[in-house]
Amino acid sequence: MKQEEHNEQVAVFAWAGREEARYPELALLFAVPNGGRRDKITGARLKAEGVKPGVPDIWWPVARGPYHGLVIELKADKGRPTPKQKAWLAALEAQGWKVMVCVGAAAAVQVIEWYAAGAENSPDQFVKTS
């Protein structure tokens, strides 16, 4: 994960920690440490453990509306999903998950708040979708 994306993700989880009293289900929000550079031994160990490229960054396994849960691929300014990330997002959407590509922490927080409120209408006015 690039430093800019790291900083954005840290901001999302700092917000979530402050808001757990308001949204108790935020205790279930988690990140998948899929990206980043690793040495060959660590990479091989993680692959053997089931780590797969393209898995979205942020997961919230909380059902709302017609969705099983929310997954967010978080990007920094001008970031774009890779082909493997797009494939994961499409597959998860086909399985009933709400998938979003958010540019920046502010957009991710808006999506999480929208989802927490019941996932009605579309959050597309403030984020790019997959």
Side-chain angles (χ1 to χ4, degrees):
M1 175 182 291
K2 296 177 184 171
Q3 186 63 42
E4 297 86 9
E5 287 184 10
H6 166 81
N7 294 342
E8 296 294 335
Q9 192 160 312
V10 167
V12 170
F13 280 87
W15 168 85
R18 292 188 305 270
E19 295 296 321
E20 272 191 41
R22 184 173 164 206
Y23 305 115
E25 298 95 339
L26 284 174
L28 297 174
L29 189 73
F30 68 93
V32 174
N34 234 19
R37 293 187 177 194
R38 298 179 173 96
D39 61 69
K40 288 182 181 183
I41 293 171
T42 303
R45 286 182 63 218
L46 291 172
K47 186 175 181 179
E49 291 174 4
V51 172
K52 295 182 180 183
V55 172
D57 299 311
I58 299 171
W59 291 70
W60 200 19
V62 172
R64 288 286 189 277
Y67 307 110
H68 300 304
L70 172 68
V71 293
I72 296 174
E73 179 58 39
L74 186 61
K75 296 296 180 187
D77 189 41
K78 299 182 183 179
R80 301 283 181 262
T82 67
K84 287 182 180 180
Q85 289 168 337
K86 288 179 181 179
W88 265 99
L89 295 171
L92 290 166
E93 189 170 51
Q95 292 298 317
W97 287 75
K98 180 60 179 172
V99 301
M100 299 297 294
V101 176
C102 296
V103 179
V109 166
Q110 287 180 315
V111 165
I112 294 167
E113 288 183 321
W114 162 82
Y115 191 81
E120 294 179 9
N121 301 318
S122 174
D124 296 341
Q125 69 273 14
F126 44 79
V127 297
K128 293 185 288 184
T129 57
S130 61

